[in-house]
Amino acid sequence: MNQITVISPDAAEKADVASNARKVFIKTYGCQMNVYDSNRMSDALASEGYVPTEEMGEADLILLNTCHIREKAADKVYSALGRLRDMKRTRAEHGRELMIGVTGCVAQAEGEEILRRAPAVDVVVGPQTYHRLPQALARARQGERVVETDYAVEDKFEHLPKVDKARARSRGVTSFLTVQEGCDKFCTFCVVPYTRGSEVSRSVSQIIDEAMRLVDSGVREITLLGQNVNAWRGESPKGGEWGLGELLYRLAEIPGLARLRYTTSHPRDMDDCLIEAHRDLRALMPYLHLPVQAGSDRILKAMNRRHTGAEYLRLIERIRAARADIAMSGDFIVGFPGETDQDFEDTLKIVEDVKYASAYSFKYSTRPGTPGAELGSQVDEAVKTERLERLQALLLRQQQEFAEGCVGKTIDLLLEKPGRMPGQLIGRSPWLQSVNVDAKESQIGDIIQVRITGTGPNSLFAERAGA
Ligand code: 5AD
Ligand code: SF4
């Protein structure tokens, strides 16, 4: 049946405004925090008349929201900027403007250097200053090339528009919410303390307000974000200090908020209250990303992780005692300077002991300015490659074993989005796996009971429980 759309004068006017509106395309690299930041930048630009586009070709403004964590991540940005220079030139030949901005961690780390290396770039804005992006663009339109990377003294969240409900709704039933930024841990391999600065926590009231807006717009699951999320500290509404555990108890009271997650945590900041929250809160999903990075105590010390392998294992035991079905996830680095074959075997050993449901693993990448870069005894690239392959084979096996262990179980599934096949939706299991199930699009946002029937390469299959 044909659908007839009646456009009211108001809607027609809006459509017209939209077709004339400037369009922004944001390419997001790196972690979930950058995904969150890209959304907030898009919101801030909406009040300047920009509408988001998924088509780079039709954008008037292209923003690269960048990651600096490993060398390759930064290289990708420079090669993308090379391609954008050509695009800008072609546009200019046709008399159409294209503005280009670099935001995020490469912007913070490289600043002016980006303007030097990439002549097509108009604005460079760091993660602490993206609330100033509209003004930076206005200045750039006057012909200035703008770098805004000073750590802002003001709280950027106070200066950003509140999360827009209609936009939040269009982004789906799960959402990120940044509660903490920066890091004071200074692991010797990591640039984050330099790019994102020292630890800053958002206030309880800001977080609750944003969570409620998200829930009002149909969000069912919120993932709290922070580079070091469990270092979050805030003032409780009744005075006294809250940690992340207390915050989770409070957020779990919000009606309609069905699921909570948080990432990324440091083992040193898993306090008793947070562990108890895993025991007590139905809404807190049984999944924990708790990077250990390496298994050898010598390497952990050189990395300045401030815990041993045994302490990490004991911590996981305590967490599992509180919540037996918790799925563990981690990050690993192979080939940190000085890592011997035996050290690497210790990493494999700790993986064998923990049994991860999922994990991310990387070759050590030297980051200028970090203490790791100053160390002699850098590990040969070929050795890193071989170690990474062995580690990833083990982690993949564990991930598959975990998935296969789910077959036959009846679980709660949050229906998130249309699947690849008509009549199918993709949902999330409590353990963050993608699950395919037959369901109607109108059910997106519902939590239904399904029975896991099988596993695929990156997802599970399920049928309605009782079907
Ligand atoms: N080299 C390789 N991996 C790194 N990570 C952080 N810094 C580096 C680096 N210099 C990894 C860590 C961290 C994840 C986000 O990225 O495992 O937990
Ligand atoms: Fe990349 Fe880390 Fe910055 Fe996230 S915080 S964008 S992972 S460098």
Side-chain angles (χ1 to χ4, degrees):
M1 197 176 73
N2 282 337
Q3 287 220 331
I4 299 169
T5 313
V6 180
I7 301 185
S8 69
D10 186 36
E13 192 184 56
K14 276 195 196 137
D16 193 39
V17 170
S19 68
N20 292 327
R22 287 188 293 220
K23 296 198 173 92
V24 55
F25 174 89
I26 307 183
K27 166 92 181 145
T28 307
Y29 300 82
C31 63
Q32 294 106 323
M33 190 163 296
N34 270 7
V35 175
Y36 176 86
D37 288 351
S38 292
N39 286 339
R40 296 306 299 270
M41 281 191 269
S42 173
D43 293 349
L45 290 169
S47 38
E48 303 296 308
Y50 280 98
V51 295
T53 175
E54 303 282 306
E55 291 294 328
M56 193 188 262
E58 61 178 35
D60 305 285
L61 166 64
I62 295 177
L63 293 179
L64 304 184
N65 192 14
T66 61
C67 174
H68 202 236
I69 197 92
R70 283 167 291 274
E71 196 176 359
K72 275 211 184 106
D75 290 347
K76 268 194 217 160
V77 173
Y78 280 111
S79 55
L81 286 173
R83 291 191 295 276
L84 289 181
R85 183 187 50 202
D86 299 340
M87 191 167 160
K88 189 165 177 161
R89 195 180 302 131
T90 316
R91 282 281 186 91
E93 284 163 12
H94 292 84
R96 230 188 111 196
E97 187 189 59
L98 172 63
M99 293 190 82
I100 297 172
V102 180
T103 62
C105 295
V106 176
Q108 189 64 41
E110 306 259 300
E112 297 273 348
E113 176 70 8
I114 297 178
L115 297 188
R116 237 180 23 80
R117 275 182 69 178
V121 172
D122 300 290
V123 296
V124 175
V125 177
Q128 323 304 331
T129 31
Y130 62 70
H131 56 298
R132 298 197 201 137
L133 184 60
Q135 294 92 310
L137 289 168
R139 280 162 59 198
R141 225 165 275 118
Q142 305 299 316
E144 198 183 332
R145 297 181 80 202
V146 184
V147 178
E148 272 279 12
T149 51
D150 286 344
Y151 285 131
V153 281
E154 72 273 19
D155 174 359
K156 73 176 167 213
F157 294 108
E158 293 287 354
H159 289 77
L160 284 168
K162 286 192 187 284
V163 166
D164 180 272
K165 290 189 189 169
R167 285 167 152 256
R169 184 169 304 126
S170 71
R171 289 178 188 141
V173 295
T174 63
S175 180
F176 295 129
L177 196 176
T178 293
V179 300
Q180 182 280 335
E181 277 191 80
C183 181
D184 295 342
K185 292 283 184 294
F186 291 93
C187 300
T188 53
F189 52 80
C190 190
V191 285
V192 168
Y194 312 97
T195 52
R196 291 272 175 169
S198 56
E199 287 171 3
V200 179
S201 296
R202 290 180 75 188
S203 71
V204 172
S205 61
Q206 259 190 19
I207 295 166
I208 292 176
D209 181 61
E210 192 166 319
M212 298 215 317
R213 292 181 80 82
L214 290 170
V215 173
D216 275 356
S217 63
V219 167
R220 307 293 321 277
E221 173 181 302
I222 292 180
T223 301
L224 306 181
L225 295 182
Q227 263 94 32
N228 216 338
V229 72
N230 56 347
W232 179 88
R233 289 285 169 276
E235 198 181 322
S236 112
K238 294 193 185 116
E241 196 181 63
W242 272 2
L244 189 68
E246 287 91 350
L247 180 68
L248 286 164
Y249 279 97
R250 172 65 188 88
L251 289 170
E253 288 170 7
I254 296 177
L257 179 51
R259 289 181 164 194
L260 285 163
R261 304 179 186 274
Y262 60 94
T263 195
T264 288
S265 298
H266 193 286
R268 285 283 296 238
D269 292 321
M270 287 302 299
D271 64 17
D272 291 346
C273 181
L274 187 50
I275 295 176
E276 282 157 20
H278 278 285
R279 181 194 63 203
D280 295 342
L281 298 177
R282 239 179 70 86
L284 184 55
M285 291 295 102
Y287 178 94
L288 179 59
H289 185 64
L290 193 64
V292 65
Q293 314 292 358
S296 140
D297 288 346
R298 214 173 60 79
I299 296 298
L300 286 169
K301 192 163 187 340
M303 286 177 162
N304 192 30
R305 292 291 292 175
R306 298 192 260 172
H307 61 78
T308 62
E311 281 162 352
Y312 178 79
L313 290 173
R314 247 193 326 272
L315 174 62
I316 290 183
E317 248 172 53
R318 284 174 53 217
I319 298 165
R320 283 187 167 143
R323 182 78 207 231
D325 68 340
I326 202 154
M328 294 304 305
S329 155
D331 289 340
F332 297 90
I333 296 177
V334 299
F336 186 80
E339 186 187 70
T340 62
D341 285 344
Q342 183 52 51
D343 292 324
F344 175 64
E345 293 300 325
D346 290 348
T347 297
L348 296 178
K349 174 78 175 60
I350 210 163
V351 172
E352 294 280 10
D353 286 346
V354 173
K355 300 203 173 21
Y356 288 92
S358 75
Y360 304 86
S361 45
F362 314 97
K363 288 189 223 176
Y364 171 71
S365 163
T366 310
R367 307 312 289 126
T370 61
E374 309 297 317
L375 298 172
S377 61
Q378 299 283 331
V379 174
D380 203 66
E381 203 51 33
V383 174
K384 287 187 201 171
T385 304
E386 195 226 302
R387 288 181 186 166
L388 188 67
E389 279 171 9
R390 280 183 66 197
L391 175 62
Q392 289 188 336
L394 173 61
L395 290 168
L396 182 64
R397 206 160 56 237
Q398 292 194 344
Q399 187 178 329
Q400 284 164 346
E401 277 165 14
F402 183 80
E404 278 152 20
C406 295
V407 176
K409 280 190 185 152
T410 298
I411 65 161
D412 283 344
L413 190 66
L414 170 58
L415 298 173
E416 265 189 38
K417 55 185 178 197
R420 242 182 299 148
M421 304 291 179
Q424 245 188 15
L425 294 185
I426 296 179
R428 286 275 172 192
S429 79
W431 307 289
L432 211 56
Q433 299 139 305
S434 293
V435 181
N436 303 281
V437 67
D438 287 346
K440 291 196 283 289
E441 216 166 307
S442 59
Q443 290 177 285
I444 290 177
D446 290 354
I447 294 177
I448 62 168
Q449 285 229 312
V450 300
R451 203 177 64 83
I452 305 295
T453 53
T455 65
N458 295 309
S459 60
L460 302 174
F461 300 97
E463 60 187 22
R464 302 292 293 261

